[in-house]
Amino acid sequence: MNTFRDLCNDRSAWIDFVLSKTALIIASVILISASYQLAQDLGGQHMEQELDVIALGLKYAIDDVGSLSYTGNEGHTYTFDRVDLGWEQPIKAYVSSEYVRIEALHQERPIHSVVPMTFRMLPFNESTLRNLLSINFAGQNGSMQEPLNSDCDQVMGTLAQTGSWEILLNTSKTVCMKKTPIYIQNNSEVSSLDLILVYQ
Amino acid sequence: MTLFSFINDDRGVLEPHNDILATALMIIGFVVLAAILAQTYLTYDDNSMVLRNYEEATRIAENIASFDEIQAAGPDRISAQALDTISYPISDSEAHRRFFARYADGLDLSVHITTDDGHHQWTIERYSTHTLGNNVIAASVPVVIELSPAEFASGTIRVSIQK
C-alpha cells in the first residue's frame, strides 16, 4: 500500500520518461520498417518495369511484323537482350495467341508482366499451322493452292483454340516471326486472313 | 512582440518533449515523401500506359489505312464502296469479320472514318456490344477516300481502343 502511495507521490517523472521513450522507440521501429518496406516496394516496381520492357520489346517486334503490308517468306527475328540483368533465376518468356508473359523471381517471389497482343498471332511455325489446318479442314491447308472451304468465323475459332496454349520461349535463342496468309474460299470468293507466326 | 516573447521564454515548457516533436516531424516528412513517391509513380504509370495505347491505336489506324480489302483501284486511296459494306448497317458480315480478323480477339476496337467536310462518315465496330467507357484511347491518321471513280475527299481514320 505504501508502495502504491509512494508511486503516486513520486514527482521524479520517471514514468513519463519511460512512456515517452518507449513511444519513441516504437515510432522509430515503425518508421524504419516502413522505410524498408518502401524501399522493397520500389525495388519490386523497378523489377516489374524491367519485365514490362522485355515483354513490350517482344510485343513491338511482333506488331512490327503485323503492320507490314505484305506477307511471305521474309524472316524477322527478335533477340532478348535484357535478360541478363541480375535476375535470381533466368527469366521465362511465354507467348500465346492473346498475350506475351514474362516471369521472373524477385526475392523468391514470382513476378509477371503480361502484355496483350495487338495482332492475331500463333505460337508455332508454318508447317505446324498447315498441318493443323489440314487436320481441321478436310485436308485443306489454307495455302493459295488449297484454300479452306469455310467461313472466317470457323477458321478464327479453330485458330483461337489451337493458339491459346502458352508456349515457353528459350530466351537465349532467337525468336522467329513471320506473317503468313491463310486463304479462305467462301462460295466463289477467295479471301486471305493474315496471321503472325512466332516460333523458335 | 508575441514571437519575441515566445523565443525568449526561459521556462522550458517544450524542452522535455523535443524528441517527440522531432519524431512527429520526421513521421510527417516520411508520410509526405511516401505520398509524393506514390503519386509520381501512379502518374508515370498512367502516362506511359496512355502513350503505349496511343502508339497501338496509331499503328492500327495506319494498318487499316493500308488494308487491301478497303483499298480503291487507285493507289493510297480508300474505297467508300468497300466501307459501305462493312460499316453500320453491315451489309457484308463476312467482310466485316475479315476486317477485324487480323487483330487479337481481346482488342475492343471501334473505327470511325469521316471526310473532312463531314458529309460522309462510317462507323465500324468490332463487337456489337461495344460501349465507350472512360478508358478509351483514340488515334487518327489522314486518308484519301474515293467516293466514286471521279470524286475524292480527304478524310480521317480514327481508331478507338476500349481498355
Side-chain angles (χ1 to χ4, degrees):
Chain A
M1 196 65 183
N2 282 338
T3 311
F4 182 69
R5 192 176 294 127
D6 291 345
L7 187 68
C8 291
N9 292 328
D10 187 352
R11 300 178 68 81
S12 61
W14 62 268
I15 197 158
D16 183 39
F17 175 80
V18 169
L19 281 177
S20 68
K21 295 305 175 195
T22 307
L24 279 176
I25 290 168
I26 292 170
S28 301
V29 168
I30 293 172
L31 200 60
I32 291 167
S33 305
S35 305
Y36 179 75
Q37 191 60 46
L38 185 67
Q40 292 285 310
D41 288 348
L42 287 176
Q45 294 290 346
H46 177 69
M47 293 298 174
E48 284 179 16
Q49 284 173 0
E50 280 291 338
L51 289 190
D52 283 345
V53 170
I54 296 169
L56 285 171
L58 179 56
K59 174 196 154 63
Y60 288 152
I62 295 170
D63 285 352
D64 285 343
V65 177
S67 302
L68 298 173
S69 56
Y70 61 90
T71 58
N73 292 322
E74 295 81 5
H76 298 269
T77 58
Y78 176 77
T79 308
F80 291 95
D81 56 356
R82 296 176 68 93
V83 294
D84 298 324
L85 297 177
W87 300 98
E88 292 169 22
Q89 284 185 5
I91 65 161
K92 292 177 180 170
Y94 299 89
V95 288
S96 80
S97 60
E98 292 296 318
Y99 58 84
V100 171
R101 182 166 73 88
I102 308 291
E103 182 184 305
L105 275 183
H106 175 59
Q107 294 175 345
E108 300 179 356
R109 186 174 59 92
I111 53 175
H112 306 264
S113 173
V114 180
V115 180
M117 298 308 303
T118 303
F119 292 94
R120 191 174 292 277
M121 183 266 284
L122 289 172
F124 37 72
N125 61 23
E126 180 140 22
S127 63
T128 310
L129 170 71
R130 299 299 171 192
N131 283 339
L132 272 169
L133 291 174
S134 295
I135 293 167
N136 286 286
F137 293 94
Q140 307 296 306
N141 65 11
S143 62
M144 189 177 277
Q145 294 76 25
E146 297 179 17
L148 308 178
N149 288 309
S150 182
D151 59 26
C152 193
D153 266 355
Q154 196 176 350
V155 175
M156 285 196 297
T158 305
L159 295 176
Q161 281 178 355
T162 53
S164 59
W165 310 320
E166 266 190 353
I167 302 292
L168 175 64
L169 296 176
N170 184 342
T171 53
S172 58
K173 285 186 178 176
T174 301
V175 180
C176 301
M177 293 163 291
K178 182 181 178 183
K179 190 173 180 180
T180 191
I182 293 177
Y183 292 93
I184 302 170
Q185 184 165 16
N186 196 357
N187 299 324
S188 60
E189 184 188 4
V190 176
S191 56
S192 72
L193 168 63
D194 291 341
L195 285 175
I196 307 163
L197 302 176
V198 177
Y199 55 93
Q200 287 186 309
Chain B
M1 191 64 186
T2 311
L3 179 64
F4 181 76
S5 57
F6 179 74
I7 60 177
N8 284 293
D9 187 347
D10 292 335
R11 285 176 297 171
V13 176
L14 292 177
E15 187 64 24
H17 309 295
N18 268 352
D19 43 5
I20 294 176
L21 289 174
T23 310
L25 282 175
M26 200 163 66
I27 290 173
I28 291 169
F30 177 78
V31 170
V32 170
L33 174 72
I36 290 172
L37 283 176
Q39 185 62 40
T40 306
Y41 175 74
L42 288 175
T43 307
Y44 164 78
D45 199 42
D46 280 351
N47 288 347
S48 60
M49 184 170 284
V50 167
L51 186 61
R52 275 207 308 260
N53 290 333
Y54 177 74
E55 285 175 358
E56 187 174 19
T58 306
R59 191 187 287 267
I60 292 170
E62 288 169 350
N63 186 255
I64 286 172
S66 61
F67 183 42
D68 286 342
E69 292 200 22
I70 60 168
Q71 295 298 306
D76 300 326
R77 291 199 294 262
I78 289 179
S79 163
Q81 193 180 358
L83 293 177
D84 287 338
T85 62
I86 57 175
S87 61
Y88 184 80
I90 301 165
S91 58
D92 186 345
S93 56
E94 186 69 13
H96 177 267
R97 279 192 285 272
R98 280 200 306 272
F99 181 78
F100 287 112
R102 293 159 295 150
Y103 306 111
D105 284 329
L107 206 60
D108 193 354
L109 281 177
S110 174
V111 182
H112 301 272
I113 303 168
T114 55
T115 52
D116 288 343
D117 57 14
H119 289 157
H120 300 85
Q121 50 188 315
W122 298 265
T123 299
I124 313 167
E125 292 186 343
R126 183 168 202 177
Y127 300 116
S128 55
T129 55
H130 183 91
T131 51
L132 288 181
N134 290 329
N135 298 321
V136 176
I137 310 292
S140 303
V141 294
V143 287
V144 176
I145 301 167
E146 184 180 295
L147 301 171
S148 71
E151 188 182 4
F152 306 98
S154 59
T156 307
I157 292 180
R158 181 163 62 88
V159 170
S160 307
I161 304 177
Q162 177 83 35
K163 290 288 180 182

